[in-house]
Amino acid sequence: MRLLFVSSLVWTFLTLTQLVLAWVFLGRLDTFLEIQPQLMQLANPPGITEVIVSPVFSVASIVLLMATPIMSMRMLAEERRNQTLVMLLSAPVSRFAIVLAKFFVLLLFLSTLPLLIVILSLFLLMGGTLDFGLLLSNVIGLILLAGCFASLGLYISSLTAHPAIAALGSFGALLCFWIIDMVALDSDSIIHYFSPFRHYEYFNLGIIDSASVIFMMLFMVVFLALTVQRLASMR
């Protein structure tokens, strides 16, 4: 964990992420102020959380898609390239513990995204009220989505000794899930239900759907189990 946060790549990522999220946040705030007179004429107008905060969380899911492959590629692929994975596997620690530790470090880091958005959202309390239920739903959904991405990225990182290939593989796989959700959205196909993006949309709307929670947890378990199996095969 300490090595992760002394990396210049990590701080560059956090800086760029904060700039992107702040830019989207201010853009949505400007839009809300422009349409506020029209909203006040509605019987049940959407609040600032729906108009400003939820779209920022939606953008954050795309930021995760692009950032997770870069952050996960170093987890196992770089250790294989530097020959340090052999020493790690020789230590008196189970492979399950190794995979779980790397997963939670990556998940903890990726969870800074919802934290940054929550901090931005709290500034809205100076001029209005927040829907904390919708805010909490988005935070839970984005953390679960980050967990899905981290588990997939960790597994692909275990398949190669080249971090760049691991990053491209993870990005390609996540992009496929995103495209599946986009293409199959208007059809009767059930294939888009296998995309984590589809299930995240419920959280983005303020719906904590138990089926979506179970799917995303299973998604993580499957890819973490595959990663453990992959490390076991390296003995």
Side-chain angles (χ1 to χ4, degrees), residues 3 16 21 32 40 49 71 82 107 116 143 146 168 173 176 200 202 211:
L3 293 176
L16 291 176
L21 295 179
F32 177 78
M40 292 178 68
T49 314
M71 304 311 302
N82 296 335
L107 179 59
L116 291 173
I143 291 175
L168 287 173
C176 283
Y200 171 67
Y202 291 114

Side-chain angles (χ1 to χ4, degrees), residues 140-155:
I140 293 172
L142 197 60
I143 291 175
L144 287 172
L145 189 68
C148 291
F149 290 1
S151 62
L152 176 62
L154 202 58
Y155 171 63

Side-chain angles (χ1 to χ4, degrees), residues 53-55 57-58 134 137-138 199-207:
V53 180
S54 289
F57 271 97
S58 186
L134 180 57
S137 172
N138 272 283
H199 295 277
Y200 171 67
E201 289 170 9
Y202 291 114
F203 294 94
N204 193 233
L205 295 172
I207 304 169

